[in-house]
Amino acid sequence: MNRWFVVIVAYIISLPCFANPAFAGQHEPTRQSAQLSQILLYQGFVGENIGKDICYSISADNRREFQNIIDRHNLRIRGMYTAIRCNGLTLLQFAIIAEAADTGLLLTRNLPIRLILEHDNNGHSILEWAETTGYGNSPIIRAIRERS
């Protein structure tokens, strides 16, 4: 699905009316490019819903639904972890706050430890974040400590 999305975006950008604003008045978009832009908007809408579904399944600690979303949309946990934020937090931070131990432990087992221990936007690793916010005794943090 992502490959087609990139191809569609590349095609739309290559059209003269989108590539150069000077051509905007001289070249009318074709019916085909209008259909492609609708597909592009639909793809973005679907992506937003997938992100919401993932955050919801984490907050509900529904590991089965979380895995079904991943399988249904052919997602990789590693790519998802870096791309999706729930309430401005990483998926692991959100799982810790939501006390979603099953889903958080699944993420902990499937993510590379170097990715988990990377510093977030605030410059803190997840272990530092957990200690400063009072979540240092979370089962997810204990599993991260065991892996590192």
Side-chain angles (χ1 to χ4, degrees), residues 8-19:
I8 292 170
V9 170
Y11 177 75
I12 290 173
I13 291 173
S14 70
L15 293 173
C17 61
F18 290 102

Side-chain angles (χ1 to χ4, degrees), residues 5 38 49 61 84 95 114 121 123-124:
F5 183 72
Q38 288 174 354
N49 283 341
D61 198 15
I84 297 175
R114 63 175 172 73
N121 296 341
H124 301 290

